[in-house]
Amino acid sequence: MEKIKQFFSKLWVSIKDFFVNFNYKKVLKIFTNTKVLNSFAAIFVGLLIGFIVMIFVAKNPFTGEWSFNTALDGLERLFGGGSRSLKNFGDVLFKAAPLILVGLSVGFAFKTGLFNIGASGQFMVGGVAALYAANLLTLPTGLHFVVAALAGIAAGAIWGFVPGILKAIYNVNEVITTIMMNYIAMYLTVMMVTYPKVYDGGLTAINTNFPTAHTPVLGLDKLFPGSNIDISIIIAILVAVLIWFVLEKTTLGYQLKAVGHSKDASKYAGINYKKSVAVSMMIAGGLAGLAAALYYLPIKPAYFRPIEVISPIGFEGISIALIGQSHPLAIIFSGTLISYIKEGASQMQLFGFNKEITNIVISVIIYMIAISSYLGMVINKRKERKRELAKEEETDEENKEEPQVKGGEING
Amino acid sequence: MASFYDYFSLVLFFAIPLIMTALGALFSERSGVVNIAMEGIMIVGAFVGILFINGKLIPGIDSAVEFTEAIGGVPVYLLGMIIAIIAGILVSYLHALASIKMNADQIISATAINTLTPALALFLTMSLALGESAGTDKLPVARSLYLIDEVPLLSKIPFFGELFFQNVYPGFYVGIIAIILTYIVIYKTKFGLRLRACGENPHAADAAGINIYKIRYLGVLISGAMAGASGFIFVIGFTIEFNASVVGYGFLAIAVMIFGNWQPLKIVGAAFLFAGLLTLSDGISFFPALDNLDIPEGIISMLPYLITIVVLVLTSKNSRAPKAAGQIFDKGER
């Protein structure tokens, strides 16, 4: 209890500190950080290459002939589709929430030196657990949502805990166990979806009529009229801040990161390696589970169908974590960006472009981020060489004069 | 006996592409580069190879049937595989360039490839109307054209003839050859020794005069070639429509490689065990005793993954990953 109290007072102090000592120079510094600049450059290159691909396949929807204007129209939608209206932007935020949380799940694991390919599986079991709680329990509005979300978190956490504990105790590679857990989750959820008490044969999905358990909207639909927005985006942002706080300001976060940097050094420093790995995977799983709850509980239903396909969201989560460079606060941005591009891409279909362009753009962004530090180095080297050349020229000019003087001295 | 035979041939079909991909990943990891892009490279291989055998890459030929009538089913298949291999090498070069030359995080560049390839395949199929009709994102695969009914003479051998030389795809033999070659290359050649040295202790290898960068490039490119070929073999063997997916087989192959403890023979064994369990839900009718237990199908489908985890837990003490896998080689650091 004392610990929890301490935790929250610490959290409060750092939030207060942020607002009281708010300094625009500090914020500006964040945005001119090389890492952040690299990410922005990568995003720019990704969109540029997406545009080039679009130019190649652009066809006038009426005549079927190649047309540069269609490519421009498509680009306009890709860039601006997500912010054409308040409704569009509300939908972008609505769809961003689960993406941010899955990104956090993968990113958190990255920060602690683990690779969580299993966010998909954690997401699927989390979704089924949340939907079960939503369908089978009778609780007052609001509380019911909280309980259903907690059920999702718990299921995801269990799904993450298994690979974590196996890595901690038996040193089993978490990459392989999380892949296996994805498949196990897929078959398990397919079996669980068709359970008669929750299954809706008409929808061929889990029943979505559970009025007391839907994600609360809290009037946000007034801000973004016509959109599906609810408080999930606020939850996602708060959770991201919380994760950042845990990683940067608490002993637990320090330990987890230390284990991520070096297993042996952290052991030497007296950190409980096994506990850290298990806890870290459990938190990662819980985040993916919460993402699923926010994905399946809204009033605008997302259907959970019994199909034997691993949810692709876990792999999107890897992309989002990488674009955000695993920084919890940057992941808020990268998750929203992906959601924004997706919204634009879905509107691009009006002009005959396939929406897969999103993933092409995302993959280019990731690749550029991967090689950005090298490119930065090359550019810096070039600059240095230019500077050196300029210097040499200067010194050459000086040298021309010097030998004459020196020569004169010697001769004299 | 017949029941066992049916089951075993099913397992063989599943195991071959799995083994090839896992061995491909092995080449890369043994050289010190983690390659989780196998899934993406398999998709590229399958995509380009199928485009080729469907005649989309050659002017004047419109369909797979026309193409096979012109030069025969097996040659078309083999040419398609070569194209798939080339495509696989080209894509893996992206990974090699980023992770070896540009010191990128190997997981990040591989993730980029895994994201790019299915999207690009779907995008091109839709935009250029490469499928059977405009508006579909699936490529037709006329797989029966490439089936070898029976190999003359050899198919007359009792038991083995029926198992190995009747109703097989040419890819089966390519797979067997690849397995044997991999073993020889890794354990019996100078290149194999250098490859292993690069993955274990690159600085020592460097001091001994080995060009680490060259060996690593070769390791990754070989893995790309094998993934390209196995993607092609896998898709032609198991589907009549290709929708830019190899259903996670590339990731499973990496799991099999870890399961096989980074050793070729153990990988083959692990792949057979895994494929045997994977086909259990299809093959359970061959085992009346098991079938009568009435285990739900979902549970049987889960078994391969559950058993893999259990086996890993039991054998984890002996796990030996290449020491330098995933680490960037920096000449100056020592």
Side-chain angles (χ1 to χ4, degrees):
Chain A
M1 212 52 218
E2 192 60 26
K3 262 190 173 173
I4 296 173
K5 229 179 179 178
Q6 226 176 2
F7 176 86
F8 278 106
S9 66
K10 234 177 172 181
L11 181 64
W12 173 239
V13 167
S14 60
I15 290 173
K16 217 166 63 179
D17 185 58
F18 176 79
F19 284 106
V20 171
N21 299 334
F22 186 79
N23 187 341
Y24 76 95
K25 269 186 192 157
K26 232 182 184 174
V27 177
L28 203 71
K29 216 176 178 184
I30 295 173
F31 281 100
T32 49
N33 176 321
T34 15
K35 257 188 165 179
V36 177
L37 284 182
N38 282 348
S39 286
F40 279 118
I43 291 164
F44 175 75
V45 174
L47 289 169
L48 186 72
I49 290 184
F51 179 53
I52 292 172
V53 172
M54 279 155 62
I55 291 175
F56 275 106
V57 297
K59 275 185 197 138
N60 189 317
F62 302 108
T63 59
E65 283 168 2
W66 181 82
S67 136
F68 186 70
N69 281 342
T70 315
L72 280 181
D73 286 342
L75 187 73
E76 193 262 320
R77 289 289 169 140
L78 186 63
F79 265 122
S83 53
R84 278 173 82 80
S85 67
L86 280 176
K87 175 193 176 302
N88 290 135
F89 196 66
D91 281 340
V92 167
L93 292 179
F94 169 67
K95 287 178 187 155
L99 293 176
I100 291 171
L101 285 167
V102 175
L104 280 175
S105 166
V106 180
F108 184 78
F110 271 140
K111 277 266 178 189
T112 57
L114 297 163
F115 185 22
N116 181 17
I117 302 194
S120 290
Q122 295 144 14
F123 182 87
M124 284 188 279
V125 291
V128 162
L131 286 170
Y132 261 56
N135 273 303
L136 298 178
L137 302 176
T138 30
L139 289 167
T141 318
L143 180 66
H144 198 174
F145 164 73
V146 174
V147 170
L150 287 177
I153 295 175
I158 293 170
W159 225 249
F161 178 72
V162 174
I165 197 78
L166 291 181
K167 165 110 182 174
I169 296 183
Y170 298 104
N171 193 27
V172 182
N173 192 317
E174 82 278 8
V175 173
I176 169 168
T177 35
T178 48
I179 293 174
M180 297 292 145
M181 292 297 277
N182 278 348
Y183 284 91
I184 296 172
M186 173 177 87
Y187 289 113
L188 182 74
T189 50
V190 166
M191 279 160 63
M192 288 179 79
V193 165
T194 45
Y195 177 57
K197 274 189 181 163
V198 298
Y199 189 61
D200 184 332
L203 292 174
T204 64
I206 295 185
N207 175 37
T208 51
N209 185 21
F210 35 77
T212 52
H214 285 307
T215 317
V217 178
L218 278 188
L220 283 173
D221 54 339
K222 304 265 176 359
L223 276 178
F224 301 97
S227 75
N228 299 313
I229 194 164
D230 53 26
I231 62 162
S232 55
I233 181 67
I234 297 176
I235 296 175
I237 292 172
L238 289 180
V239 170
V241 173
L242 186 71
I243 291 292
W244 169 80
F245 178 77
V246 168
L247 275 174
E248 301 297 327
K249 306 280 177 190
T250 65
T251 322
L252 175 74
Y254 183 79
Q255 291 177 343
L256 295 181
K257 280 197 297 182
V259 168
H261 279 299
S262 167
K263 177 179 160 184
D264 297 328
S266 63
K267 270 185 183 168
Y268 183 70
I271 295 169
N272 187 339
Y273 166 76
K274 289 178 180 173
K275 191 186 128 199
S276 291
V277 171
V279 166
S280 170
M281 278 307 287
M282 210 167 83
I283 294 176
L287 288 167
L290 178 60
L294 297 184
Y295 186 81
Y296 288 109
L297 291 178
I299 295 166
K300 163 98 199 292
Y303 299 114
F304 204 120
R305 294 208 156 89
I307 36 171
E308 289 188 353
V309 174
I310 290 179
S311 163
I313 200 167
F315 298 94
E316 283 177 295
I318 298 176
S319 307
I320 291 164
L322 293 177
I323 294 176
Q325 313 210 355
S326 301
H327 191 292
L329 301 180
I331 286 171
I332 300 176
F333 171 77
S334 62
T336 312
L337 175 83
I338 298 300
S339 178
Y340 186 87
I341 296 179
K342 273 185 161 180
E343 174 72 24
S346 74
Q347 292 183 22
M348 270 169 55
Q349 291 177 349
L350 288 174
F351 299 98
F353 293 105
N354 189 283
K355 67 176 184 332
E356 289 297 329
I357 193 93
T358 342
N359 281 332
I360 296 177
V361 171
I362 291 173
S363 62
V364 175
I365 296 175
I366 299 171
Y367 194 78
M368 292 313 293
I369 285 178
I371 63 174
S372 61
S373 59
Y374 176 82
L375 293 181
M377 214 171 67
V378 171
I379 292 169
N380 278 347
K381 261 191 189 164
R382 282 234 172 114
K383 270 186 195 163
E384 254 172 48
R385 203 175 294 159
K386 261 187 192 166
R387 229 175 279 149
E388 271 171 24
L389 277 178
K391 253 188 199 168
E392 270 173 27
E393 272 172 23
E394 273 176 30
T395 44
D396 277 352
E397 278 168 19
E398 284 169 18
N399 286 348
K400 270 176 201 163
E401 291 164 12
E402 272 175 20
Q404 289 174 347
V405 180
K406 275 183 186 166
E409 273 172 13
I410 293 168
N411 285 340
Chain B
M1 204 60 208
S3 67
F4 170 76
Y5 153 75
D6 285 338
Y7 179 57
F8 188 72
S9 62
L10 196 65
V11 172
L12 260 186
F13 272 116
F14 263 91
I16 290 291
L18 201 55
I19 294 172
M20 269 187 82
T21 319
L23 291 179
L26 178 79
F27 271 104
S28 178
E29 295 236 346
R30 273 296 174 102
S31 78
V33 181
V34 172
N35 189 356
I36 63 159
M38 302 305 275
E39 175 95 357
I41 302 173
M42 279 178 85
I43 291 172
V44 164
F47 177 66
V48 180
I50 288 168
L51 279 186
F52 177 80
I53 61 172
N54 284 354
K56 297 286 181 192
L57 301 182
I58 306 163
I61 293 175
D62 292 328
S63 71
V65 179
E66 211 175 298
F67 201 5
T68 45
E69 272 170 5
I71 59 170
V74 176
V76 168
Y77 184 97
L78 292 178
L79 281 175
M81 189 183 292
I82 291 170
I83 301 283
I85 288 174
I86 294 171
I89 291 176
L90 288 178
V91 174
S92 66
Y93 182 72
L94 281 178
H95 182 53
L97 194 67
S99 52
I100 301 167
K101 175 140 193 240
M102 303 197 173
N103 298 341
D105 186 315
Q106 295 162 8
I107 284 174
I108 303 185
S109 79
T111 303
I113 290 171
N114 283 336
T115 315
L116 174 71
T117 54
L120 198 62
L122 286 177
F123 184 81
L124 291 178
T125 310
M126 287 288 274
S127 308
L128 307 178
L130 299 170
E132 215 150 8
S133 56
T136 172
D137 59 357
K138 294 186 171 73
L139 294 181
V141 181
R143 58 176 181 169
S144 57
L145 293 174
Y146 315 104
L147 202 61
I148 302 172
D149 294 334
E150 56 181 324
V151 179
L153 286 178
L154 290 173
S155 63
K156 299 288 185 291
I157 305 170
F159 187 70
F160 287 110
E162 211 179 340
L163 204 54
F164 294 124
F165 299 107
Q166 288 183 14
N167 291 325
V168 289
Y169 291 100
F172 174 73
Y173 303 115
V174 176
I176 302 278
I177 295 168
I179 295 168
I180 297 168
L181 276 181
T182 302
Y183 182 79
I184 294 174
V185 166
I186 289 197
Y187 284 122
K188 307 282 175 198
T189 65
K190 206 159 75 179
F191 170 70
L193 182 65
R194 290 180 172 177
L195 188 81
R196 284 180 285 146
C198 279
E200 284 300 327
N201 193 338
H203 292 296
D206 182 49
I210 298 171
N211 185 342
I212 306 289
Y213 298 107
K214 195 173 124 196
I215 299 278
R216 286 197 168 175
Y217 265 108
L218 281 173
V220 176
L221 295 187
I222 292 173
S223 82
M226 289 178 76
S230 76
F232 182 77
I233 294 172
F234 174 70
V235 170
I236 293 206
F238 291 102
T239 180
I240 52 169
E241 269 180 335
F242 175 65
N243 60 346
S245 156
V246 290
V247 292
Y249 231 65
F251 288 112
L252 282 186
I254 290 168
V256 163
M257 179 200 65
I258 299 174
F259 194 3
N261 213 355
W262 289 270
Q263 291 165 21
L265 290 184
K266 283 191 182 165
I267 288 175
V268 173
F272 269 105
L273 175 65
F274 197 78
L277 294 166
L278 207 59
T279 46
L280 200 58
S281 56
D282 298 315
I284 196 159
S285 53
F286 302 136
F287 301 98
L290 266 178
D291 203 14
N292 291 340
L293 288 178
D294 268 337
I295 307 166
E297 202 187 323
I299 305 264
I300 293 174
S301 307
M302 268 181 223
L303 272 182
Y305 313 102
L306 280 172
I307 291 177
T308 305
I309 292 181
V310 172
V311 173
L312 279 172
V313 168
L314 294 179
T315 59
S316 61
K317 287 280 177 293
N318 310 321
S319 168
R320 282 257 308 107
K323 278 207 189 87
Q327 289 170 9
I328 295 160
F329 176 67
D330 177 3
K331 241 185 172 174
E333 162 207 297
R334 219 183 298 173

